């Protein structure tokens, strides 16, 4: 079956996230998604919490994290350990040992802590998935990411990088999985049975995200 899953979503557990998991789930269902990966900044969603949320929300919830390494951002799906203070290479090595899934988000976007061409090249032996479409990234940087993936025969994924529920599902990954079971879905993603789809988030939604974030900061 083909499943629409947004593989890059931030909740209000991220310092710059604005929406609760409930608001995000409602938006995901409204947009016809079957699932999403929660990838808060340096804050792991555990597998047990993801399974509980899946049951409560009626969506596939993939546990994940977006790590801030000194070289830039990396996403790990189904993380099995904490990664505090690890280098890019050490994170990649850990995911290989643990059987977790490594995604390089917005790799060519210097404005969003993309790791860039040479660091991405250094990770090719770890067979990462490349986020070839990030709904919050400029088209030219998404194009460079897609070219990099194609040139190096790496599988491609997409995600909204939403920090507000309105943006969830603007970009998403079509996952070809034998079932909706979390293990099957994550395993299908990890072997690259994926295709990026969707579009960039509108300027109006991007502006609403910035305003909502500012209001949240002022109220804290
Ligand atoms: Zn990022
Ligand atoms: Zn992100």
């Amino acid at each position: 079956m083909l499943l629409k899953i947004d593989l890059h979503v931030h909740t209000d557990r991220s310092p710059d996230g604005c929406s609760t998991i409930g608001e995000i789930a409602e938006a995901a269902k409204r947009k016809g998604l079957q699932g999403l990966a929660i990838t808060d900044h340096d804050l792991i969603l555990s597998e047990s919490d993801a399974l509980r949320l899946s049951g409560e929300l009626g969506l596939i919830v993939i546990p994940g994290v977006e790590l801030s390494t000194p070289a830039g951002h990396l996403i790990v799906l189904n993380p099995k350990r904490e990664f505090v203070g690890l280098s890019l290479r050490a994170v990649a090595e850990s995911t290989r040992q643990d059987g977790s899934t490594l995604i390089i988000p917005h790799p060519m976007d210097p404005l969003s802590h993309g790791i860039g061409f040479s660091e991405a090249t250094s990770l090719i032996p770890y067979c990462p998935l490349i986020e070839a479409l990030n709904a919050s990234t400029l088209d030219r940087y998404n194009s460079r990411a897609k070219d990099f993936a194609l040139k190096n025969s790496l599988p491609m994924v997409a995600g909204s990088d939403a920090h507000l529920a309105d943006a969830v599902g603007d970009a998403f990954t079509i996952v070809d999985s034998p079932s909706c079971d979390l293990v099957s879905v994550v395993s299908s993603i990890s072997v690259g049975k994926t295709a990026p789809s969707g579009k960039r988030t509108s300027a109006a939604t991007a502006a609403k995200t910035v305003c909502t974030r500012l209001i949240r900061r002022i109220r804290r």
Side-chain angles (χ1 to χ4, degrees):
M1 62 175 65
L2 297 179
L3 302 168
K4 292 181 183 175
I5 303 182
D6 186 340
L7 289 180
H8 190 162
V9 178
H10 296 273
T11 72
D12 58 2
R13 298 193 323 149
S14 285
D16 53 355
C18 303
S19 299
T20 65
I21 182 71
E23 293 165 340
I24 286 165
E26 281 308 309
K29 285 194 241 181
R30 208 168 47 242
K31 292 192 179 175
L33 298 184
Q34 283 79 46
L36 38 86
I38 301 299
T39 55
D40 283 312
H41 294 292
D42 302 302
L43 190 59
I44 288 175
L45 181 74
S46 70
E47 189 173 355
S48 57
D49 282 344
L51 286 168
R52 178 180 54 76
L53 286 169
S54 288
E56 288 173 11
L57 303 171
L59 276 172
I60 301 162
V61 177
I62 300 172
V65 64
E66 183 170 28
L67 299 169
S68 305
T69 76
H73 287 177
L74 282 179
I75 286 178
V76 180
L77 300 184
N78 218 10
K80 306 287 188 199
R81 64 172 91 187
E82 296 291 337
F83 298 93
V84 182
L86 292 189
S87 68
L88 203 68
R89 189 67 66 90
V91 171
E93 195 62 53
S94 301
T95 55
R96 178 147 74 184
Q97 284 170 14
D98 297 345
S100 300
T101 303
L102 183 66
I103 298 175
I104 308 180
H106 45 70
M108 305 302 164
D109 185 354
L111 308 172
S112 303
H113 306 283
I115 64 173
F117 181 83
S118 76
E119 295 287 16
T121 302
S122 78
L123 295 186
I124 289 174
Y126 297 95
C127 302
L129 292 107
I130 302 298
E131 190 181 64
L133 172 57
N134 176 302
S136 308
T137 286
L138 294 174
D139 287 339
R140 63 174 177 275
Y141 298 135
N142 279 328
S143 291
R144 283 179 208 165
K146 185 177 176 186
D147 288 348
F148 178 82
L150 290 172
K151 200 170 276 182
N152 294 290
S153 303
L154 294 169
M156 292 182 273
V157 295
S160 64
D161 206 355
H163 290 71
L164 183 71
D166 302 44
V168 169
D170 283 350
F172 56 89
T173 302
I174 298 170
V175 180
D176 186 357
S177 171
S179 81
C180 292
D181 174 73
L182 180 62
V183 174
S184 301
V185 172
V186 171
S187 142
S188 299
I189 294 169
S190 67
V191 296
K193 292 188 171 176
T194 56
S197 191
K199 58 177 173 49
R200 284 192 63 217
T201 291
S202 69
T205 301
K208 187 176 171 186
T209 303
V210 172
C211 292
T212 309
R213 194 179 285 152
L214 273 175
I215 291 166
R216 275 173 56 87
R217 270 192 201 147
I218 291 164
R219 283 185 180 159
R220 266 181 206 156

